[in-house]
Amino acid sequence: MQGITLLFVIGSVVVAGLALYAGLLLAKLYQQQQRHKLFLARAAEQQVEAIKARNDNILESVFIIAMACKQDQCDISEAAIRLYKLMEVLQADKQVDFAATYPALTDLYQVVKDMPRGDARQQIEKQSRMRFDLERMKAESRLQADIKLELDAILSTKV
């Protein structure tokens, strides 16, 4: 009888020890989960801040280009290309459906997007270059008034 009692006491101590160890492991798991939740929340916060900073930087460039074009310091076609490319990468609440919001700039972009620029333009023959220039100038003159209004709309979003 004494042997059974001894085995029962030893078994109870082992079970209690294992239960205590399991409880400690569960507490550590809970703490780890809480730290992980905080980490995810901080990471999401940092991502939102990074997107906001990136959008602010892009929008500053957009406003500079729009103002330069409005003051005739920048070619309308070049502005259309740059504005399209910049506004295309805005994220979150600053995202813009460029084609729907700025149809004249989009039309001009569609005309000039595949035209060679810079050094590539110098590499093509003069007749092709003149043909591209004529096509670009026709589009610019046709869309100029609407583009000026759209540039005003872009600049009016500046806070």
Side-chain angles (χ1 to χ4, degrees):
M1 184 82 163
Q2 247 182 355
I4 294 178
T5 306
L6 183 60
L7 286 175
F8 181 72
V9 169
I10 292 174
S12 296
V13 169
V14 168
V15 168
L18 289 174
L20 181 63
Y21 183 64
L24 289 173
L25 290 177
L26 284 173
K28 285 183 179 183
L29 179 63
Y30 176 78
Q31 289 174 347
Q32 184 180 14
Q33 288 175 337
Q34 295 305 313
R35 283 192 307 265
H36 186 66
K37 286 179 185 176
L38 286 173
F39 171 78
L40 291 177
R42 259 186 271 126
E45 221 173 82
Q46 288 173 345
Q47 185 177 17
V48 166
E49 289 173 12
I51 287 173
K52 183 185 179 318
R54 182 174 180 268
N55 282 346
D56 289 346
N57 189 25
I58 290 170
L59 285 173
E60 186 61 33
S61 296
V62 164
F63 296 139
I64 289 169
I65 293 168
M67 183 59 73
C69 186
K70 187 141 175 61
Q71 295 173 351
D72 295 324
Q73 297 173 354
C74 176
D75 185 46
I76 293 176
S77 297
E78 189 67 26
I81 292 169
R82 290 174 186 246
L83 290 172
Y84 183 88
K85 292 295 186 181
L86 284 170
M87 294 178 91
E88 183 177 55
V89 295
L90 288 172
Q91 295 176 308
D93 62 331
K94 300 289 185 181
Q95 200 166 21
V96 174
D97 181 3
F98 195 83
T101 310
Y102 308 110
L105 281 166
T106 302
D107 287 349
L108 183 57
Y109 171 77
Q110 294 301 326
V111 170
V112 299
K113 71 179 181 181
D114 295 325
M115 290 183 181
R117 300 182 324 175
D119 290 336
R121 184 179 178 345
Q122 299 303 321
Q123 301 300 322
I124 62 173
E125 56 188 57
K126 187 175 182 177
Q127 187 175 6
S128 295
R129 200 170 36 228
M130 290 175 71
R131 186 172 36 85
F132 284 138
D133 286 347
L134 180 63
E135 185 180 345
R136 178 181 50 82
M137 286 190 287
K138 281 182 183 178
E140 283 178 357
S141 65
R142 178 175 50 89
L143 297 168
Q144 187 171 11
D146 293 335
I147 288 175
K148 294 288 184 182
L149 292 174
E150 289 177 5
L151 291 173
D152 287 336
I154 289 171
L155 291 170
S156 72
T157 63
K158 187 174 183 179
V159 180

